[in-house]
Amino acid sequence: MAEKLLEVKNLKTEFRRDKTMVTAVKDVSFTIHKGEVLGLVGESGCGKSVTSLSIMRLLIDTPGKVTAGEVLLEGKDLLKCPENEMRKIRGSQMGMIFQEPMSALNPCMRIETQLIEAIRLHRSLSRSEARKHSLTMLKTVGIPDPETTLKSFPHQLSGGMSQRVVIAMAMCCDPKLLIADEPTTALDVTIQAQILELMLRIKNEKNTGILLITHDLGVVAEMCTRVIVMYAGRIVEEAAVSELFKAPKHPYTQGLIASVPKLGSGVTTLPSIPGNVPDLSMMPKGCKFAPRCKYVMDLCRNLEPELKTAGQDGMRKCRCHLLNTTNKEVSAL
Ligand SMILES: Nc1ncnc2c1ncn2[C@@H]1O[C@H](COP(=O)(O)OP(=O)(O)OP(=O)(O)O)[C@@H](O)[C@H]1O
Ligand SMILES: [Mg+2]
């Protein structure tokens, strides 16, 4: 088994709403190994971005706060780091790619200035050495004419090219961990495939650990070895990707997988999970998925299930009371 890179333990993140606190992420624990791509999936609003921002400690300009847990990067608890140390770790040891490439780039600065600054913030290189490194990075991410790109402003680049620049910037100091929050959602399908391929290539070359956040299960199938499924701020299932697709255990995961179109199936209307993700200030008391679950039992409405090991190897986990039930219909889950 590869070495552990990131361990998140019992992470809890809350937001201030009016005069009370609401919980956006609760009891989230997972591990990413070196050279591994871990997928994080779930519907909109289930806490994927809040989880990644909590890990990077980038909630500063929001009413949000991590109120419990540990985030260990090679054993060092990032939640205990002073902000100036954290600033060094961000960029040098962990990089982040956001959904919207344009939001990660400063529109008023040439790519050259931004890349050189990002490199020199973390490495003691001269301007010309940093510029050389920028050119290498742009080549690595498949930019055909790096000299011209360096001189460009962000608005002069296409979406695909901008996202490549963002990846170059996130990777320019060889971070051990890359957090990619919907890195290809804003791009068209061909560019999406190229960017994903690029991320895999960089991972293989540098042994980077990647947390890949996506709502696209097709991307998960292609990119990830393991996957965690989030619902209402909790992890509801964790499994090897092949296991998850073969036999999803949590009714929520089953719903997500059933709503993925299958090539050549001829099906035009797909089942979607009825209902919505609950509002943070009106969370159901028991299982957060109970109001939408077709297998709901009385117990589910009253007691939140724990995330329990559900397979022999200890790698598979599921948060569902049905795992303990003897009911024939659901024991097949
Ligand atoms: N800055 C904020 N202030 C208050 N609440 C927030 C803030 N950011 C996120 N939330 C709340 O936290 C919950 C989780 O949001 P988050 O952005 O993590 O969802 P997500 O899974 O990333 O969704 P998407 O797929 O749409 O990106 C939501 O209920 C959201 O309203
Ligand atoms: Mg998000």
Side-chain angles (χ1 to χ4, degrees), residues 5-6 32 73 93-95 175-179 208-211:
L5 174 63
L6 179 80
I32 301 180
L73 185 68
Q93 303 200 38
M94 52 211 292
K176 297 167 182 158
L177 174 72
L178 184 66
I179 298 183
T208 322
I210 302 180
L211 177 63

Side-chain angles (χ1 to χ4, degrees), residues 302-322:
N302 294 308
L303 180 71
E304 181 164 18
E306 285 170 26
L307 186 67
K308 286 203 177 130
T309 304
Q312 280 102 357
D313 61 357
M315 295 300 283
R316 181 131 203 210
K317 292 179 188 143
C318 183
R319 188 189 290 276
C320 181
H321 287 307
L322 296 173

Side-chain angles (χ1 to χ4, degrees), residues 43-50 52-53 99 181-182 213:
E43 282 167 297
S44 186
C46 68
K48 305 182 297 293
S49 295
V50 172
S52 63
L53 294 171
Q99 177 168 347
D181 191 350
E182 307 265 9
I213 298 174

Side-chain angles (χ1 to χ4, degrees), residues 15-17 22 24-25 42-51 53 59 61-64 99 181-182 213 215 278-280:
F15 284 100
R16 183 168 290 285
R17 272 223 193 136
V22 291
V25 164
E43 282 167 297
S44 186
C46 68
K48 305 182 297 293
S49 295
V50 172
T51 300
L53 294 171
L59 287 165
D61 293 330
T62 72
Q99 177 168 347
D181 191 350
E182 307 265 9
I213 298 174
H215 60 262
D279 186 272
L280 297 186

Side-chain angles (χ1 to χ4, degrees), residues 317-333:
K317 292 179 188 143
C318 183
R319 188 189 290 276
C320 181
H321 287 307
L322 296 173
L323 287 178
N324 303 329
T325 182
T326 47
N327 181 323
K328 273 212 187 94
E329 186 193 356
V330 293
S331 58
L333 290 175

